[in-house]
Amino acid sequence: MSSKTLVKICGLSREEDIDAVNELLPDYIGFVFWPKSKRYVDYAKAKELKDKLDKRIKAVGVFLDEDIDKVAELVHKGIIDIVQLHGAEDEEYIRKLKEKNGCEIIKAFNVNKLATLKDAESSSADHIMLDSGAGTGIPFDWSRLNEVKRPYFLAGGLSPDNINEVLSKIQPFAVDVSSGVETDRYKDKNKIISFMKVCRNEN
């Protein structure tokens, strides 16, 4: 496994965002399909953006308690490559979604609501994400993650200002950033560059 931490830039909503990531090539990008999010995109817009996305970048669809058939349809149509679940989706939901089309699944867990991280580690999802909540942009006590044996995505309060410190303490499989690389609620290419340089040991 590469020593470089994989990078997911979440909450893309504009063509300018796609142009930026096509140049910078993070490993994953995210489309948020939760209507209450300020980064929400509808399915038609996501398709338009995905059609312009470099094929080397995996598109992740972020959902919160969405109907399984709707999620599976987006995978089937190629609008997203990976599903990220941020709600109360249980093991039965994950099993049924897998049966629909065998898609790759990331299940997010709010670390602040877990008494033990073993619940997250035992998930049947392909990947787990350890977060401080649904897009809060607030960090948590990262030292808790030293007990986690399973590879994980880290999210919640990450930014170019703290990612070096974070990666000096823990070794996540991947990091997920959204508000931390924004200026006035829009993705900022220069902040994405700064963030990715640290993750890819280019400083």
Side-chain angles (χ1 to χ4, degrees):
M1 182 185 295
S2 170
S3 61
K4 297 178 182 178
T5 302
L6 301 186
V7 177
K8 175 171 173 276
I9 309 296
C10 200
L12 273 59
S13 61
R14 306 175 300 161
E15 287 192 24
E16 301 98 296
D17 301 338
I18 298 297
D19 291 341
V21 296
N22 282 347
E23 179 182 337
L24 302 174
L25 295 177
D27 304 280
Y28 310 90
I29 60 92
F31 297 131
V32 178
F33 296 115
W34 184 44
K36 293 183 180 180
S37 171
K38 59 178 176 280
R39 301 177 187 88
Y40 169 75
V41 292
D42 61 26
Y43 300 159
K45 184 63 175 180
K47 182 183 186 311
E48 179 185 321
L49 296 175
K50 174 66 185 306
D51 288 344
K52 299 177 185 299
L53 183 68
D54 190 294
K55 304 301 184 205
R56 289 171 287 182
I57 305 171
K58 296 291 187 183
V60 180
V62 180
F63 302 91
L64 198 150
D65 301 322
E66 182 58 271
D67 179 79
I68 288 178
D69 289 332
K70 289 184 180 179
V71 176
E73 181 183 5
L74 289 180
V75 178
H76 179 71
K77 289 183 175 180
I79 296 175
I80 57 173
D81 305 302
I82 300 172
V83 172
Q84 181 175 318
L85 304 174
H86 257 280
E89 303 91 356
D90 57 13
E91 287 293 297
E92 180 70 3
Y93 184 105
I94 293 172
R95 182 185 66 77
K96 288 181 177 178
L97 184 55
K98 280 280 190 182
E99 287 177 352
K100 289 281 184 183
N101 51 24
C103 59
E104 193 172 340
I105 297 173
I106 303 168
K107 179 66 179 99
F109 294 88
N110 185 339
V111 171
N112 294 322
K113 293 184 178 179
L114 294 178
T116 171
L117 296 177
K118 294 190 184 304
D119 290 342
E121 287 194 274
S122 64
S123 172
S124 62
D126 300 276
H127 302 284
I128 59 172
M129 176 177 288
L130 302 177
D131 194 1
S132 57
T136 62
I138 301 172
F140 55 88
D141 181 6
W142 291 306
S143 65
R144 288 189 64 192
L145 306 187
N146 286 319
E147 65 191 74
V148 179
K149 302 295 188 288
R150 178 177 177 174
Y152 58 88
F153 281 70
L154 176 66
L158 300 178
S159 72
D161 295 329
N162 64 19
I163 187 61
N164 189 55
E165 177 189 359
V166 171
L167 296 181
S168 70
K169 295 178 179 178
I170 56 177
Q171 290 77 47
F173 165 75
V175 288
D176 185 315
V177 64
S178 187
S179 60
V181 290
E182 292 178 349
T183 298
D184 297 328
R185 292 192 174 185
Y186 290 106
K187 293 294 179 284
D188 184 320
K189 181 180 176 181
N190 290 326
K191 288 183 178 180
I192 296 174
I193 291 172
S194 298
F195 188 88
M196 290 185 60
K197 276 186 175 181
V198 176
C199 297
R200 296 193 166 164
N201 302 323
E202 294 174 359
N203 279 3

